[in-house]
Each structure stands twice: as C-alpha cells, then as structure tokens.
Amino acid sequence: MSPYILAVICILLSTCSFYETNAQLSANFYSTTCPNVSSIVQNVIQQALQSDARIGASLIRLHFHDCFVNGCDASLLLDNNATTNIVSEKDAAPNTNSTRGFDVVDNIKTALETSCPGVVSCADILALAAESSVSQAGGPSWNVLLGRRDSRTANQAGANTSIPSPTEGLTNITAKFTAVGLNITDLVALSGAHTFGRAQCRVFSARLYNFNGTGNPDPSLNTTYLANLRQICPQNGSATALANLDPTTSDGFDNNYYANLQNNQGLLQSDQELFSSGTTSSIVNTFSSNQNTFFQSFVQSMINMGNISPLTGTNGEIHSDCKRIN
C-alpha cells in the first residue's frame, strides 16, 4: 500500500502520530557500519549493573534530560569548556548533583570507538542505553531508531527552563511536554520510568513536613508511607539520602508504579498528581490494570521522545569523546 494511501487512512481514522517516525532515523542505521552496536551497549550496562543497581534508571534519565533541551543531541554530555564556549547543561538546576551515569556513557563510547571508530553518535548511545536499561530490568525491548548526530553547543538556560521538575504541578509539566510535541499519554507513560531508581530527600522532603508552606505534610500521602519516608528523610537529616521511587519493586521495570499512585504512594509530587489531579487518573488506572498496555505505550512514547528534533545528515558531528566537541 502506498504511503499516500496510508496517510489518508490514518487521517480518516484519527490514528496519526506525527511524532511516530522521523524520516531520517532508522533502526538499521548502523547495520553495516557498526552491526554489534546494541550488544556492545548491552554488555557495558550489564557490567555496570553488577556494582550499581540504579544505573539503568540513571541512564534513561540522561536520555530524557537530553531530549527535552534542543532535542536528542547529546548536548547534556558536554563539559564546560571556555575555549569552545560550552556552558554545560550538567550545571543546570535539574542536573547538578543529580544526573549521573556519565562514566558508563564514556565506557560505552570507548568500547564503540574500539569496535567502530567515529561511527556511533553519543546521542544514539543515550537512546540505546535507555532501551537496554529498561529491557535488562524486566521491561519491554524495542528497536531503537538511530542516526542522530551530536550537538556542537549546549544550552544551560534551556535546561533550567525546559526540563520538568518533580515539584511542579501537572499543568506546568503538561505544557513542557506539549512544547516538545509530546501529549498527555506520553507524559503518563514516560513517568512510568519511575518504576525503578531513587530520588534524593531534598527533592520531596517538603511533602513530608511543609507542603506548599502549610507546615503540614502533603494530604495526598498515604500515612504509613509518610512514616516510612520520614525515617529515611528525618527533618534535619541528609538532603542527599536516597529513597526508592517504587517502594514495592525498586529495581524492576513493571507497572507497580501506577498501583502505588492509586495507593497514594507516589514519591514525588509530580508522580502523585498524575492520579490525584483527576485529569490523567484514567490513564493511570489503565496502566495499573494492564502491564502489557503500559509497556506498549511506554515503547511508543520512548520512540516519540527519541524523535525530538534530532540532528541528522550533515548537521552536528559524531563526537569522538562525549564530553567535548571534536
């Protein structure tokens, strides 16, 4: 069937997703130039997981924080450099003392440069690492679309304003998703990545003691869960102590995150609002009751996110070191 007829059918049936594919990205992009790219990425992450159970969640977060600022272009990975006028996104408020896993990205890059030098972009490494992290934690696998190139600039100011914050309300977060072409289903599905990983006390402690300046805890918090969290994060305790984002299966990728929200056990304000606000609670209920539906939506939303404004063709470059431009 011709692409034209398919397009007409999708318009008639209202099933079009204009962020579904990017004509220049392809699952087979490295099939001749670096055929083992996926297994190389997988092996490095498998090794990293031996000593760091949360590395998968950290790696998927890098992809997310990269894509929301000027698109999926690996700009997040660039270090400060006065010579090349790079003001690093790593020092933006959502990333500083928070994003991690850069060393694993460097290890992946080193392995790929040994096997196929100058071929695989750092932006594609982040997309591949996200998929591998999810599948190795028991989540879905998918064919990652590839062919992104790397940015020669960073945008720290953009990182400060474009990345959704865990203390923001649903309206603001929805607007940030809309700004990059993602919809409300993408928002709820991608939030499901909080089915694994950790968060620092400083990110949610206001919910435990002084929610919105009330001097009281967030009323939407399950009281038993509140007591548990106060033990991990005492009022004058360490701001960087860690709590599991999913208290039930902390390192596994499943749909328990959504059941937690139904039980008022969302760790972050941005998590719990997906259920408590009412606006998106029906999607939460769907994902909670059917893990396959969640997995399918999550994969589609990861593909949608990976398609945000990639550099392709002759734009950008292939960094030989993800921390600096060539």
Side-chain angles (χ1 to χ4, degrees), residues 197-259:
R198 320 278 183 265
Q200 297 177 31
C201 290
R202 66 185 174 92
V203 178
F204 59 87
S205 59
R207 296 188 71 208
L208 312 183
Y209 301 102
N210 186 21
F211 183 61
N212 289 346
T214 58
N216 295 306
D218 183 340
S220 72
L221 262 173
N222 174 299
T223 50
T224 310
Y225 187 47
L226 170 64
N228 291 342
L229 290 175
R230 282 179 159 179
Q231 288 189 314
I232 299 166
C233 307
Q235 199 144 18
N236 296 308
S238 166
T240 56
L242 297 172
N244 293 325
L245 282 159
D246 175 354
T248 49
T249 51
S250 56
D251 296 324
F253 198 99
D254 51 36
N255 67 335
N256 285 352
Y257 167 83
Y258 300 102

Side-chain angles (χ1 to χ4, degrees), residues 62-206:
L62 291 182
H63 184 41
F64 171 50
H65 282 212
D66 179 42
C67 290
F68 267 68
V69 184
N70 291 17
C72 310
D73 62 359
S75 57
L76 169 61
L77 304 178
L78 294 171
D79 282 346
N80 286 311
N81 190 316
T83 313
T84 55
N85 296 319
I86 300 294
V87 181
S88 180
E89 293 173 23
K90 293 177 183 178
D91 296 330
N95 296 326
T96 188
N97 300 320
S98 175
T99 45
R100 60 193 296 278
F102 297 107
D103 53 334
V104 177
V105 174
D106 288 338
N107 291 344
I108 295 169
K109 183 62 173 172
T110 301
L112 286 169
E113 287 300 303
T114 302
S115 187
C116 13
V119 171
V120 181
S121 69
C122 299
D124 279 346
I125 287 173
L126 290 180
L128 287 161
E131 188 279 337
S132 183
S133 296
V134 169
S135 63
Q136 291 194 55
S141 322
W142 63 95
N143 290 324
V144 180
L145 299 183
L146 301 164
R148 301 167 192 80
R149 287 165 66 85
D150 299 325
S151 176
R152 293 180 53 80
T153 60
N155 183 2
Q156 189 183 103
N160 277 319
T161 55
S162 303
I163 296 170
S165 155
T167 56
E168 271 184 302
L170 186 58
T171 306
N172 282 8
I173 292 177
T174 303
K176 290 182 175 182
F177 272 73
T178 304
V180 293
L182 299 177
N183 64 27
I184 204 88
T185 304
D186 296 316
L187 164 54
V188 181
L190 292 172
S191 297
H194 288 173
T195 178
F196 65 172
R198 320 278 183 265
Q200 297 177 31
C201 290
R202 66 185 174 92
V203 178
F204 59 87
S205 59

